[in-house]
Amino acid sequence: MMTIAQLYQHYIKSRLIATDTRNIIPGSIFFALKGEKFNANAFAADAIAAGASLAVVDEDKYARDDRYILVADVLETLQDLARHHRHQLHIPVIGITGTNGKTTTKELLYAVLSQRYETFATKGNLNNHIGVPLSLLAIDERIEVAVIEMGANHQHEIAFLAEIAAPTHGLITNVGKAHLEGFGSFEGVKKAKGELYDYLKANHGVLFLQGDNQHLIEMERQRKVDKVVRYGFSDSNAVIGKLERANPFLQITWHLQQGVSHTVDTKLTGSYNTENILAAVAVGNFLGLADDEINRGINSYTPTNNRSQITKTSANTVIADYYNANASSMAAALANIAFIDAEQKAIILGDMFEMGDESFVEHQKLVEMACTIPAGRIIFVGKAFSEHKRDAAEFYETTDLAIQALRERPIMDSTVLLKASRGMAFEKLMEHL
């Protein structure tokens, strides 16, 4: 059986990995992964026919000749290959996790660090037990710094991903009530995310800490990481920032302790993104970027993929934030729409998924919070929200029923918050706003 070191010699010839026969580039190594509803072993021959140099399989009957590498487990082999490759890289690797904001923070870091360094960052949402190995194997010898996003929905997942990615630096954006079915409780979320701190502590890494977040402060105190760089809003932090304006794009000021103050205009909405911006400032400054390089990077970043993305339609300004949702991100989005300076506002919220036993209470809290915000229309969509009907708002059990209501009574000349879990398919509402 081929060793990981031998397989690595094949990998460095092309540095191309494929897990889908539709994306084969000649010379790729194809990994025949399995899932609940698919077995890519059956497509190994198709991968070879499409130009793959090797196909890694874990079932005897698909290993036809010496172009097929038979292993005990394809996924474990992919992870082991990524781990081996990571240890050949002698560059800073920044690991990011958190309940909310990790993708935006990752992209801000990429925008900032790219001003000086050849930078790699996780593409899209490849942040799990498959995505992290694929991300690492996409890093070549040109890269000077890497930003790796790590997601989790159960205990020990961050510890496993950190062991593969081996971050030299890391940060947790925040901890909140998400994936409670997998984590069990908010304390379970803190324990799982804190596995990144555990890794940094054990390996003498550098931690970037939001120094005004009491949950993160407590988590760090429990571990006493050797090197901590604090950012936030109070004077005790190394990087100190302030939100100056949000109408709806953010303008912030920031400075180092005893340093000159800088003002930065961004293309981001959401007051909660201020601390994500400050994280990028802190990392950029620590890695030696000049102040103007940091500001240029922040100013250049434009959000996509319906994460705090502002879309101007013919009728309204829509804050499209329906890629995902949980209790803490919903509350932050409502606080932001309340803060925004706009003549007319509308709020449309959809159900949150994976909330477990806390679903009823958390949806109720959000209804109560939303109904305190002055807005022309407040609309809740989904069965979970519909359990908490109030006269001050509209409730529809499905997205299609909400669409019908918008057709009958269009929202016009408003700043509209559109937020829900991905499964609510809120993109269908856009053409009616």
Side-chain angles (χ1 to χ4, degrees):
M1 187 172 288
M2 184 177 290
T3 66
I4 290 298
Q6 290 170 328
L7 181 59
Y8 189 70
Q9 292 307 308
H10 288 281
Y11 157 77
I12 60 176
K13 291 177 182 177
S14 69
R15 297 186 183 272
L16 297 171
I17 301 294
T19 59
D20 189 326
T21 55
R22 294 168 295 185
N23 300 323
I24 296 291
I25 297 173
S28 302
I29 300 176
F30 175 72
F31 281 79
L33 298 174
K34 293 178 180 175
E36 290 182 8
K37 297 181 180 179
F38 66 90
N39 180 358
N41 280 276
F43 302 102
D46 294 338
I48 294 295
S53 60
L54 294 173
V56 181
V57 298
D58 52 18
E59 295 182 23
D60 277 332
K61 63 181 179 180
Y62 296 107
R64 299 182 178 184
D65 55 44
D66 59 4
R67 295 174 297 176
Y68 299 81
I69 307 302
L70 181 64
V71 299
D73 185 287
V74 170
L75 176 58
E76 288 183 8
T77 301
L78 177 68
Q79 293 165 341
D80 288 344
L81 182 65
R83 186 182 293 107
H84 184 84
H85 179 54
R86 167 66 187 96
H87 289 293
Q88 316 311 308
L89 303 171
H90 304 291
I91 60 173
V93 173
I94 303 159
I96 297 180
T97 191
T99 300
N100 305 309
K102 53 186 175 290
T103 297
T104 298
T105 303
K106 172 204 70 181
E107 293 176 352
L108 279 164
L109 283 178
Y110 177 80
V112 168
L113 296 175
S114 294
Q115 300 301 313
R116 175 172 294 197
Y117 300 113
E118 193 70 40
T119 306
F120 174 88
T122 300
K123 302 294 189 291
N125 200 30
L126 290 173
N127 63 9
N128 64 6
H129 62 297
I130 297 173
V132 168
L134 291 174
S135 295
L136 291 167
L137 289 165
I139 300 173
D140 62 29
E141 65 278 2
R142 297 171 301 133
I143 298 301
E144 297 173 293
V145 60
V147 184
I148 301 295
E149 180 180 336
M150 297 184 284
N153 55 24
H154 58 266
Q155 303 294 338
H156 311 303
E157 191 168 3
I158 294 297
F160 179 72
L161 296 177
E163 189 271 329
I164 295 174
T168 55
H169 306 67
L171 68 91
I172 300 175
T173 55
N174 50 54
V175 286
K177 294 182 177 180
H179 301 298
L180 295 180
E181 288 180 351
F183 292 129
S185 66
F186 179 51
E187 287 303 313
V189 174
K190 290 166 64 177
K191 181 179 178 182
K193 300 297 184 184
E195 291 165 9
L196 178 58
Y197 288 3
D198 292 332
Y199 184 90
L200 294 172
K201 167 67 175 175
N203 292 276
H204 308 289
V206 178
L207 167 63
F208 298 96
L209 178 70
Q210 211 287 49
D212 300 305
N213 184 310
Q214 292 306 310
H215 296 301
L216 297 180
I217 291 169
E218 174 194 344
M219 290 161 61
E220 191 280 323
R221 282 177 180 162
Q222 291 170 355
R223 295 161 175 88
K224 297 181 180 176
V225 179
D226 296 342
K227 176 65 176 177
V228 180
V229 178
R230 289 173 170 81
Y231 62 91
F233 308 102
S234 63
D235 291 341
S236 60
N237 294 291
V239 175
I240 304 156
K242 179 183 178 184
L243 174 61
E244 298 291 347
R245 190 171 68 236
N247 61 347
F249 293 115
L250 307 185
Q251 182 190 77
I252 73 158
T253 55
W254 67 269
H255 65 277
L256 307 179
Q257 283 190 352
Q258 319 307 267
V260 176
S261 183
H262 304 276
T263 300
V264 184
D265 290 304
T266 81
K267 301 179 182 71
L268 277 162
T269 188
S271 53
Y272 46 85
N273 276 314
T274 306
E275 59 195 73
N276 300 331
I277 296 167
L278 294 178
V281 173
V283 174
N285 176 261
F286 186 84
L287 292 182
L289 271 73
D291 297 347
D292 62 329
E293 290 176 309
I294 293 170
N295 292 342
R296 191 163 60 242
I298 291 167
N299 179 260
S300 72
Y301 171 60
T302 301
T304 57
N305 299 323
N306 304 311
R307 300 174 187 272
S308 302
Q309 183 177 347
I310 293 182
T311 302
K312 291 189 179 293
T313 70
S314 59
N316 300 289
T317 298
V318 181
I319 302 172
D321 196 0
Y322 47 81
Y323 182 86
N324 208 345
N326 54 58
S328 51
S329 68
M330 280 279 202
L334 286 173
N336 180 62
I337 192 72
F339 182 80
I340 285 175
D341 180 16
E343 288 188 13
Q344 295 189 82
K345 301 176 185 178
I347 298 169
I348 307 177
L349 303 183
D351 278 357
M352 303 176 291
F353 298 159
E354 298 184 55
M355 293 300 295
D357 293 339
E358 298 196 33
S359 178
F360 184 88
V361 171
E362 294 302 330
H363 281 88
Q364 181 181 46
K365 287 179 181 177
L366 290 167
V367 169
E368 292 171 354
M369 181 178 179
C371 288
T372 66
I373 298 172
R377 300 270 296 274
I378 302 176
I379 299 172
F380 297 97
V381 185
K383 292 182 179 179
F385 272 128
S386 292
E387 295 184 75
H388 307 286
K389 291 184 178 178
R390 302 283 193 283
D391 290 340
E394 303 167 46
F395 292 82
Y396 305 99
E397 288 205 359
T398 68
T399 300
D400 287 340
L401 288 173
I403 288 171
Q404 183 179 331
L406 291 173
R407 284 175 178 159
E408 293 171 357
R409 288 180 58 214
I411 294 174
M412 303 292 290
D413 302 319
S414 297
T415 297
V416 184
L417 170 63
L418 203 58
K419 187 160 181 65
S421 282
R422 180 69 191 86
M424 292 300 295
F426 260 31
E427 66 274 9
K428 294 195 292 187
L429 293 176
M430 284 298 296
E431 62 184 278
H432 305 283
L433 292 169

